Amino acid sequence: MKRTLGIGLAVVLLVGVVTAVVLGQGSGEQGRLQTVRGVIGSEKLAFFADQRVKDVFAKHGLEVEVDPAGSRQIATATDLNPYDFAFPSSAPAAEKIQRDRKAARTYAPFSSPMVIATFDPVADLLTKAGVVKSGPGYQTFDVQAYLELAAKGTRWDQLPGNTAYPARKNLLVTTTDPRDSNSAAMYLAITSFVANGGVVSSPDAEAKVLPAVSRLFLDQGYTQSSTEGPFEDYLSSGMGKTPLVLAYEAQFADRVVRGDSSVRPDMKLLYPAPTVLSKHTLVPLREAGDRVGQLLQSDAELGRLAATFGFRTADPRHFDDVVKEKNLTVPQTIVDVVEPPAHETLERMLEAIAKQY
């Protein structure tokens, strides 16, 4: 009789242990989380560091650890062996990684169009100069008209009737350093497209556009290595230092969503015509990285959280809901969007510009 009771008790205990294990596996928060490592473009660091994002991944049994790096660096110089996924901020960089690592697929859960952040008086001045024009619900920055002024070395104080910003410096968009930064590469993609009359795709086209596009960087003088640098100058120093600054739309939208008081009523965005999308593209390097890509692409909660950081998401409703809630005026659809050159072409042009510094 005692032996029978002992066996029965053992069975009950065993069932309890099995049940606990099954329940633990069903919820990442109760069971042990699988650590997944990724290297990401620095623009997404705040998103991955957010506790709400961590909690969503934990529900799916994942703990995602990330290291930030420049998108060009991820594609060309980073040892990817320790990582389960690479998540640069541009499609050309992801294209190279996918090809080199023979990845079966990629995911593009976020995007952000390149914009020109400026101020109302500067926008009014450039409207008279024919550079800023009215678009379908938003103002555009005519890149062709801008290139024509830049080619002449036009200074701000040479614009007719300019009393709003009579600065004795060249009329140039402030960018980051093309030797380091993805946003500068995206600016090169835009300006080279316009200078070439289409996507640059041959050595002859590269040689044709390089003299004009190189000056857009070299004539600025000192440039910073991260997009946050000139954007912070725009917010803190105002029109005097940076009347026109290249930025990601997400940078501006993120500040507005967070209620940042440094965004003042006279600040506004212009959309280059044409522009390019910075497509944040995840390349899975292992199965665990593929799970992260799937979740970022399809999980509604992660999509809503990404939109609160200013990113346009795979489901456009997330971004639309956020900007409506915060009364942020941005275009629902951007019409004039072009593709950047292939990675190798873009790299050759960037290296050619770098040699001139």
Side-chain angles (χ1 to χ4, degrees), residues 174-254:
T174 299
T175 71
T176 46
D177 193 321
R179 293 168 292 185
D180 302 312
S181 172
N182 177 67
S183 64
M186 294 298 96
Y187 183 63
L188 177 58
I190 295 169
T191 54
S192 65
F193 180 97
V194 174
N196 187 52
V199 177
V200 175
S201 58
S202 69
D204 287 344
E206 293 171 33
K208 170 187 169 185
V209 304
L210 273 169
V213 296
S214 296
R215 288 189 59 188
L216 302 175
F217 297 101
L218 299 170
D219 288 356
Q220 291 181 58
Y222 170 74
T223 49
Q224 300 183 66
S225 60
S226 168
T227 315
E228 280 302 312
F231 189 69
E232 286 295 336
D233 287 344
Y234 165 76
L235 293 174
S236 60
S237 302
M239 188 168 67
K241 189 174 190 301
T242 49
L244 298 169
V245 61
L246 182 77
Y248 297 104
E249 179 193 63
Q251 289 178 286
F252 193 93
D254 172 50

Coordinates of all heavy atoms in Angstrom, one line a residue, residues 174-254:
T174 N 23.1 71.2 -45.7 CA 24.1 70.6 -44.7 C 23.8 69.1 -44.6 O 22.7 68.7 -44.4 CB 23.9 71.2 -43.3 OG1 24.2 72.6 -43.4 CG2 24.9 70.6 -42.3
T175 N 24.9 68.3 -44.9 CA 24.8 66.9 -44.8 C 25.8 66.3 -43.8 O 26.5 67.1 -43.2 CB 25.0 66.2 -46.2 OG1 26.4 66.3 -46.5 CG2 24.2 66.9 -47.3
T176 N 25.8 65.0 -43.7 CA 26.9 64.4 -43.0 C 28.1 64.1 -43.9 O 28.0 64.3 -45.1 CB 26.4 63.0 -42.4 OG1 25.6 62.3 -43.4 CG2 25.5 63.3 -41.2
D177 N 29.1 63.5 -43.3 CA 30.3 63.1 -44.1 C 30.1 61.9 -45.0 O 29.7 60.9 -44.5 CB 31.4 62.8 -43.1 CG 32.8 62.8 -43.7 OD1 32.9 62.3 -44.8 OD2 33.8 63.2 -43.1
P178 N 30.3 62.0 -46.3 CA 30.0 60.9 -47.2 C 31.0 59.7 -46.9 O 30.7 58.6 -47.4 CB 30.2 61.5 -48.6 CG 31.1 62.7 -48.4 CD 30.8 63.2 -47.0
R179 N 32.0 59.9 -46.2 CA 32.9 58.8 -45.9 C 32.4 57.9 -44.8 O 32.9 56.8 -44.6 CB 34.3 59.4 -45.5 CG 35.0 60.1 -46.6 CD 36.2 60.9 -46.1 NE 35.8 62.1 -45.3 CZ 36.7 63.0 -44.8 NH1 38.0 62.8 -45.1 NH2 36.3 64.0 -44.1
D180 N 31.4 58.4 -44.1 CA 31.0 57.7 -42.9 C 29.5 57.3 -42.9 O 29.1 56.3 -42.3 CB 31.3 58.5 -41.6 CG 32.8 58.7 -41.4 OD1 33.6 57.8 -41.6 OD2 33.1 59.9 -41.2
S181 N 28.7 58.2 -43.4 CA 27.2 58.2 -43.1 C 26.3 57.7 -44.2 O 26.5 58.1 -45.4 CB 26.8 59.6 -42.7 OG 25.5 59.7 -42.5
N182 N 25.3 56.9 -43.8 CA 24.3 56.5 -44.7 C 23.5 57.6 -45.3 O 23.1 57.6 -46.5 CB 23.4 55.4 -44.0 CG 22.3 54.9 -45.0 OD1 22.6 54.3 -45.9 ND2 21.1 55.3 -44.7
S183 N 23.1 58.6 -44.5 CA 22.3 59.7 -45.0 C 23.0 60.4 -46.1 O 22.4 60.9 -47.1 CB 21.9 60.6 -43.8 OG 23.0 61.3 -43.3
A184 N 24.3 60.6 -46.0 CA 25.1 61.2 -47.0 C 25.1 60.4 -48.3 O 25.0 60.9 -49.4 CB 26.5 61.5 -46.6
A185 N 25.1 59.1 -48.1 CA 25.0 58.2 -49.3 C 23.7 58.3 -50.0 O 23.5 58.3 -51.2 CB 25.3 56.7 -48.9
M186 N 22.6 58.5 -49.2 CA 21.3 58.7 -49.7 C 21.1 60.0 -50.5 O 20.5 60.1 -51.5 CB 20.2 58.6 -48.6 CG 20.1 57.2 -48.0 SD 19.6 55.9 -49.1 CE 21.2 55.1 -49.5
Y187 N 21.8 61.0 -49.9 CA 21.9 62.3 -50.6 C 22.6 62.2 -51.9 O 22.1 62.8 -53.0 CB 22.6 63.3 -49.7 CG 22.6 64.8 -50.2 CD1 21.5 65.5 -50.4 CD2 23.9 65.4 -50.4 CE1 21.6 66.8 -50.9 CE2 24.0 66.7 -50.9 CZ 22.8 67.4 -51.1 OH 22.9 68.7 -51.5
L188 N 23.7 61.5 -52.0 CA 24.4 61.2 -53.2 C 23.5 60.5 -54.2 O 23.5 60.8 -55.4 CB 25.6 60.4 -52.9 CG 26.5 60.0 -54.2 CD1 26.9 61.2 -55.0 CD2 27.7 59.2 -53.7
A189 N 22.7 59.5 -53.7 CA 21.8 58.8 -54.6 C 20.8 59.8 -55.3 O 20.5 59.7 -56.5 CB 21.0 57.7 -53.8
I190 N 20.3 60.7 -54.5 CA 19.3 61.7 -55.0 C 19.9 62.6 -56.0 O 19.5 62.8 -57.2 CB 18.7 62.5 -53.9 CG1 17.9 61.7 -52.9 CG2 17.8 63.7 -54.4 CD1 17.5 62.4 -51.6
T191 N 21.0 63.2 -55.6 CA 21.6 64.3 -56.5 C 22.3 63.6 -57.7 O 22.2 64.2 -58.8 CB 22.7 65.1 -55.7 OG1 23.6 64.2 -55.1 CG2 22.0 65.9 -54.6
S192 N 22.8 62.4 -57.6 CA 23.4 61.8 -58.8 C 22.3 61.4 -59.8 O 22.5 61.4 -61.0 CB 24.2 60.6 -58.4 OG 23.5 59.6 -57.8
F193 N 21.1 61.0 -59.3 CA 20.0 60.6 -60.2 C 19.6 61.9 -61.0 O 19.4 61.8 -62.2 CB 18.8 60.2 -59.3 CG 17.6 59.8 -60.1 CD1 17.4 58.5 -60.5 CD2 16.7 60.8 -60.6 CE1 16.3 58.1 -61.2 CE2 15.6 60.4 -61.3 CZ 15.4 59.1 -61.7
V194 N 19.5 63.0 -60.4 CA 19.1 64.2 -61.1 C 20.2 64.7 -62.0 O 19.9 65.0 -63.2 CB 18.8 65.3 -60.1 CG1 18.5 66.7 -60.8 CG2 17.6 64.9 -59.2
A195 N 21.4 64.7 -61.6 CA 22.5 65.1 -62.5 C 22.7 64.2 -63.7 O 23.1 64.6 -64.7 CB 23.9 65.1 -61.7
N196 N 22.4 62.9 -63.5 CA 22.5 61.9 -64.6 C 21.3 61.8 -65.5 O 21.3 61.2 -66.5 CB 22.9 60.6 -64.0 CG 23.2 59.6 -65.1 OD1 24.0 59.8 -66.0 ND2 22.6 58.4 -65.0
G197 N 20.1 62.3 -64.9 CA 18.9 62.1 -65.6 C 18.4 60.7 -65.5 O 17.6 60.2 -66.3
G198 N 18.7 60.0 -64.4 CA 18.3 58.6 -64.1 C 19.3 58.0 -63.2 O 20.3 58.6 -62.8
V199 N 19.0 56.8 -62.8 CA 19.9 56.0 -61.8 C 21.3 55.9 -62.5 O 21.4 55.4 -63.6 CB 19.3 54.7 -61.5 CG1 20.3 53.9 -60.6 CG2 18.0 54.8 -60.8
V200 N 22.3 56.2 -61.7 CA 23.7 56.0 -62.2 C 24.0 54.5 -62.2 O 23.9 53.8 -61.1 CB 24.7 56.7 -61.3 CG1 26.1 56.4 -61.7 CG2 24.5 58.3 -61.4
S201 N 24.4 53.9 -63.3 CA 24.6 52.5 -63.4 C 25.8 52.1 -64.3 O 25.9 50.9 -64.6 CB 23.3 51.8 -64.0 OG 23.0 52.3 -65.2
S202 N 26.6 53.0 -64.6 CA 27.8 52.7 -65.4 C 29.0 53.6 -65.0 O 28.8 54.7 -64.5 CB 27.5 52.9 -66.9 OG 27.3 54.2 -67.2
P203 N 30.2 53.2 -65.3 CA 31.4 54.0 -65.0 C 31.3 55.3 -65.8 O 31.7 56.4 -65.2 CB 32.5 53.2 -65.5 CG 32.1 51.7 -65.3 CD 30.6 51.8 -65.7
D204 N 30.8 55.3 -67.0 CA 30.7 56.6 -67.7 C 29.7 57.6 -67.0 O 30.0 58.8 -67.0 CB 30.1 56.3 -69.2 CG 31.2 55.7 -70.0 OD1 32.4 55.7 -69.7 OD2 30.8 55.1 -71.1
A205 N 28.6 57.1 -66.5 CA 27.7 57.9 -65.8 C 28.3 58.4 -64.5 O 28.1 59.6 -64.1 CB 26.4 57.2 -65.5
E206 N 29.1 57.6 -63.8 CA 29.8 58.0 -62.6 C 30.7 59.2 -62.9 O 30.7 60.2 -62.2 CB 30.6 56.9 -62.0 CG 29.7 55.7 -61.5 CD 30.6 54.5 -61.1 OE1 31.7 54.7 -60.7 OE2 30.1 53.4 -61.3
A207 N 31.5 59.1 -64.0 CA 32.4 60.1 -64.3 C 31.7 61.4 -64.7 O 32.2 62.5 -64.5 CB 33.3 59.7 -65.5
K208 N 30.5 61.3 -65.3 CA 29.7 62.4 -65.7 C 29.2 63.2 -64.6 O 29.3 64.5 -64.6 CB 28.5 61.9 -66.6 CG 27.5 63.0 -66.9 CD 26.3 62.4 -67.6 CE 25.1 63.3 -67.7 NZ 23.9 62.7 -68.2
V209 N 28.8 62.6 -63.5 CA 28.1 63.3 -62.4 C 29.1 63.7 -61.3 O 28.7 64.6 -60.5 CB 26.9 62.5 -61.8 CG1 25.9 62.1 -62.9 CG2 27.4 61.2 -61.1
L210 N 30.2 63.0 -61.1 CA 31.0 63.2 -60.0 C 31.5 64.7 -59.8 O 31.5 65.1 -58.6 CB 32.2 62.3 -60.0 CG 32.0 60.9 -59.4 CD1 33.1 59.9 -59.7 CD2 31.8 61.0 -57.8
P211 N 31.9 65.4 -60.8 CA 32.4 66.8 -60.6 C 31.3 67.6 -59.9 O 31.6 68.4 -59.0 CB 32.7 67.3 -62.0 CG 33.0 66.1 -62.8 CD 32.1 65.0 -62.2
A212 N 30.0 67.5 -60.3 CA 29.0 68.3 -59.8 C 28.6 67.8 -58.4 O 28.4 68.7 -57.5 CB 27.7 68.2 -60.7
V213 N 28.4 66.5 -58.2 CA 27.9 66.1 -56.9 C 29.0 66.2 -55.8 O 28.7 66.3 -54.6 CB 27.4 64.6 -57.0 CG1 26.1 64.6 -57.9 CG2 28.4 63.6 -57.4
S214 N 30.3 66.1 -56.2 CA 31.4 66.2 -55.2 C 31.4 67.5 -54.5 O 31.6 67.6 -53.3 CB 32.7 65.9 -55.9 OG 32.8 64.6 -56.4
R215 N 31.1 68.6 -55.3 CA 31.1 69.9 -54.8 C 30.1 70.1 -53.7 O 30.3 70.9 -52.7 CB 30.9 70.9 -55.9 CG 32.1 71.1 -56.8 CD 31.8 72.3 -57.8 NE 31.7 73.5 -57.0 CZ 31.3 74.7 -57.6 NH1 31.0 74.7 -58.9 NH2 31.2 75.8 -56.9
L216 N 29.0 69.4 -53.8 CA 27.9 69.5 -52.8 C 28.4 69.1 -51.4 O 27.8 69.6 -50.4 CB 26.7 68.7 -53.2 CG 26.1 69.0 -54.6 CD1 25.0 68.0 -54.9 CD2 25.6 70.4 -54.7
F217 N 29.3 68.2 -51.3 CA 29.9 67.8 -50.1 C 31.2 68.6 -49.7 O 31.3 69.2 -48.6 CB 30.3 66.3 -50.1 CG 29.1 65.4 -50.3 CD1 28.9 64.8 -51.5 CD2 28.3 65.1 -49.2 CE1 27.8 64.0 -51.7 CE2 27.2 64.2 -49.4 CZ 27.0 63.7 -50.7
L218 N 32.1 68.8 -50.7 CA 33.4 69.4 -50.4 C 33.2 70.9 -50.0 O 34.0 71.4 -49.2 CB 34.3 69.2 -51.6 CG 34.6 67.8 -52.0 CD1 35.3 67.7 -53.3 CD2 35.4 67.1 -50.9
D219 N 32.3 71.6 -50.7 CA 32.1 73.0 -50.4 C 31.5 73.3 -49.1 O 31.4 74.5 -48.7 CB 31.3 73.6 -51.5 CG 32.1 73.7 -52.9 OD1 33.3 73.4 -52.9 OD2 31.5 74.1 -53.9
Q220 N 31.0 72.3 -48.4 CA 30.4 72.5 -47.0 C 31.5 72.8 -46.0 O 31.3 73.4 -44.9 CB 29.6 71.3 -46.6 CG 28.4 71.0 -47.3 CD 27.6 69.8 -46.8 OE1 27.3 69.8 -45.6 NE2 27.4 68.8 -47.6
G221 N 32.7 72.3 -46.2 CA 33.8 72.3 -45.2 C 33.6 71.1 -44.3 O 33.2 70.0 -44.7
Y222 N 33.7 71.4 -43.0 CA 33.6 70.3 -42.0 C 32.2 69.7 -42.0 O 31.2 70.4 -42.0 CB 34.0 70.8 -40.6 CG 33.6 69.8 -39.5 CD1 34.4 68.7 -39.3 CD2 32.5 70.0 -38.7 CE1 34.1 67.8 -38.3 CE2 32.2 69.1 -37.7 CZ 33.0 68.0 -37.5 OH 32.7 67.1 -36.5
T223 N 32.1 68.4 -42.0 CA 30.8 67.7 -41.9 C 30.9 66.6 -40.8 O 32.0 66.1 -40.5 CB 30.4 67.0 -43.2 OG1 31.5 66.2 -43.7 CG2 30.0 68.0 -44.2
Q224 N 29.8 66.4 -40.1 CA 29.8 65.4 -39.0 C 29.5 64.0 -39.5 O 29.0 63.8 -40.6 CB 28.7 65.8 -38.0 CG 29.0 67.2 -37.4 CD 28.0 67.6 -36.4 OE1 28.0 67.0 -35.3 NE2 27.3 68.7 -36.6
S225 N 29.9 63.0 -38.7 CA 29.8 61.6 -39.1 C 28.4 61.0 -38.9 O 28.1 59.9 -39.5 CB 30.9 60.8 -38.4 OG 30.7 60.8 -37.0
S226 N 27.6 61.5 -38.0 CA 26.3 61.0 -37.7 C 25.2 62.0 -38.0 O 25.3 63.2 -37.8 CB 26.2 60.6 -36.3 OG 24.9 60.3 -35.9
T227 N 24.1 61.5 -38.5 CA 22.9 62.3 -38.9 C 22.4 63.1 -37.7 O 21.8 64.2 -37.8 CB 21.8 61.5 -39.5 OG1 22.4 60.6 -40.5 CG2 20.8 62.4 -40.2
E228 N 22.6 62.6 -36.5 CA 22.1 63.3 -35.3 C 22.8 64.6 -35.1 O 22.3 65.5 -34.6 CB 22.3 62.4 -34.1 CG 21.2 61.3 -33.9 CD 19.8 61.9 -33.8 OE1 19.6 62.9 -33.0 OE2 19.0 61.4 -34.5
G229 N 24.1 64.7 -35.6 CA 24.9 65.9 -35.4 C 24.3 67.1 -36.0 O 23.9 68.1 -35.3
P230 N 24.2 67.1 -37.4 CA 23.6 68.3 -38.0 C 22.1 68.5 -37.6 O 21.6 69.7 -37.6 CB 23.7 68.0 -39.5 CG 24.0 66.6 -39.6 CD 24.7 66.2 -38.3
F231 N 21.4 67.5 -37.3 CA 20.0 67.6 -36.9 C 19.9 68.3 -35.6 O 19.0 69.2 -35.3 CB 19.2 66.3 -36.9 CG 17.8 66.4 -36.7 CD1 17.0 67.0 -37.7 CD2 17.1 66.0 -35.6 CE1 15.6 67.1 -37.6 CE2 15.8 66.1 -35.4 CZ 15.0 66.7 -36.4
E232 N 20.8 68.0 -34.6 CA 20.8 68.6 -33.3 C 21.2 70.1 -33.5 O 20.6 71.0 -32.8 CB 21.8 67.9 -32.4 CG 21.3 66.6 -31.9 CD 20.1 66.7 -31.0 OE1 19.9 67.8 -30.4 OE2 19.3 65.7 -30.9
D233 N 22.1 70.4 -34.4 CA 22.4 71.8 -34.7 C 21.2 72.6 -35.2 O 21.0 73.7 -34.8 CB 23.6 71.9 -35.7 CG 24.9 71.5 -35.2 OD1 25.1 71.4 -33.9 OD2 25.8 71.2 -36.0
Y234 N 20.5 71.9 -36.1 CA 19.2 72.5 -36.6 C 18.3 72.8 -35.5 O 17.7 73.9 -35.4 CB 18.6 71.5 -37.6 CG 17.2 71.8 -38.0 CD1 16.9 72.8 -38.9 CD2 16.1 71.0 -37.5 CE1 15.5 73.0 -39.3 CE2 14.8 71.2 -37.8 CZ 14.5 72.3 -38.7 OH 13.2 72.5 -39.1
L235 N 18.1 71.9 -34.5 CA 17.2 72.1 -33.4 C 17.6 73.2 -32.4 O 16.9 74.0 -32.0 CB 16.9 70.8 -32.7 CG 16.2 69.7 -33.5 CD1 16.1 68.4 -32.6 CD2 14.8 70.1 -33.8
S236 N 18.9 73.2 -32.2 CA 19.5 74.0 -31.1 C 20.0 75.4 -31.6 O 19.8 76.4 -30.9 CB 20.6 73.3 -30.3 OG 21.6 72.9 -31.2
S237 N 20.7 75.4 -32.7 CA 21.3 76.6 -33.2 C 20.4 77.4 -34.1 O 20.7 78.6 -34.4 CB 22.7 76.3 -33.9 OG 23.5 75.6 -33.0
G238 N 19.5 76.7 -34.7 CA 18.5 77.4 -35.6 C 19.0 77.8 -36.9 O 20.0 77.2 -37.5
M239 N 18.3 78.7 -37.5 CA 18.5 79.1 -38.9 C 19.9 79.6 -39.2 O 20.5 79.4 -40.3 CB 17.5 80.1 -39.3 CG 17.4 80.5 -40.8 SD 15.9 81.5 -41.2 CE 16.3 83.0 -40.3
G240 N 20.5 80.3 -38.3 CA 21.8 80.9 -38.5 C 22.9 79.9 -38.9 O 23.7 80.2 -39.8
K241 N 22.9 78.8 -38.3 CA 24.0 77.8 -38.6 C 23.5 76.8 -39.7 O 24.3 76.5 -40.5 CB 24.3 77.0 -37.3 CG 25.5 76.1 -37.5 CD 25.9 75.5 -36.1 CE 27.3 74.8 -36.2 NZ 27.3 73.7 -37.2
T242 N 22.3 76.3 -39.6 CA 21.9 75.3 -40.5 C 20.5 75.7 -41.1 O 19.5 75.2 -40.6 CB 21.8 73.9 -39.8 OG1 21.1 74.1 -38.6 CG2 23.1 73.3 -39.6
P243 N 20.5 76.5 -42.1 CA 19.2 76.8 -42.7 C 18.5 75.7 -43.5 O 17.3 75.6 -43.6 CB 19.5 78.0 -43.7 CG 21.0 77.7 -44.0 CD 21.6 77.2 -42.8
L244 N 19.4 74.8 -44.0 CA 18.8 73.6 -44.7 C 19.7 72.4 -44.2 O 20.9 72.4 -44.3 CB 19.0 73.7 -46.2 CG 18.3 74.9 -47.0 CD1 18.8 75.0 -48.4 CD2 16.8 74.6 -47.0
V245 N 19.0 71.4 -43.7 CA 19.8 70.2 -43.3 C 19.1 68.9 -43.8 O 17.9 68.8 -43.7 CB 19.9 70.2 -41.7 CG1 18.6 70.1 -41.0 CG2 20.8 69.0 -41.3
L246 N 19.9 68.1 -44.3 CA 19.4 66.8 -44.7 C 19.1 65.9 -43.5 O 19.9 65.8 -42.6 CB 20.4 66.1 -45.6 CG 19.9 64.7 -46.2 CD1 19.0 64.9 -47.3 CD2 21.1 63.9 -46.6
A247 N 17.9 65.3 -43.5 CA 17.6 64.5 -42.3 C 16.7 63.3 -42.8 O 16.2 63.3 -43.9 CB 16.8 65.3 -41.3
Y248 N 16.4 62.4 -41.9 CA 15.4 61.4 -42.1 C 14.1 62.0 -41.5 O 14.1 62.6 -40.5 CB 15.7 60.1 -41.3 CG 17.0 59.4 -41.7 CD1 18.1 59.5 -40.9 CD2 17.0 58.6 -42.8 CE1 19.3 58.9 -41.3 CE2 18.2 58.0 -43.2 CZ 19.3 58.1 -42.4 OH 20.5 57.4 -42.8
E249 N 13.0 61.7 -42.3 CA 11.7 62.2 -41.8 C 11.5 61.6 -40.4 O 10.9 62.3 -39.5 CB 10.6 61.6 -42.7 CG 9.2 62.0 -42.3 CD 8.2 61.2 -43.1 OE1 8.1 60.0 -43.0 OE2 7.4 61.9 -43.8
A250 N 11.9 60.4 -40.1 CA 11.7 59.8 -38.8 C 12.3 60.6 -37.6 O 11.8 60.6 -36.5 CB 12.3 58.4 -38.8
Q251 N 13.4 61.3 -37.9 CA 14.1 62.1 -36.8 C 13.1 63.2 -36.4 O 13.0 63.5 -35.2 CB 15.4 62.7 -37.3 CG 16.5 61.7 -37.5 CD 17.7 62.4 -38.1 OE1 17.8 62.7 -39.3 NE2 18.7 62.6 -37.3
F252 N 12.5 63.9 -37.4 CA 11.6 65.0 -37.1 C 10.3 64.5 -36.4 O 9.9 65.0 -35.4 CB 11.3 65.8 -38.3 CG 10.7 67.1 -38.1 CD1 11.4 68.3 -38.1 CD2 9.3 67.2 -38.0 CE1 10.8 69.5 -37.9 CE2 8.7 68.5 -37.8 CZ 9.5 69.6 -37.8
A253 N 9.8 63.4 -37.0 CA 8.5 62.9 -36.5 C 8.7 62.4 -35.1 O 7.8 62.5 -34.3 CB 8.0 61.8 -37.5
D254 N 9.8 61.7 -34.8 CA 10.1 61.2 -33.5 C 10.0 62.3 -32.4 O 9.4 62.2 -31.4 CB 11.4 60.5 -33.5 CG 11.9 60.0 -32.1 OD1 11.1 59.4 -31.4 OD2 13.0 60.3 -31.7

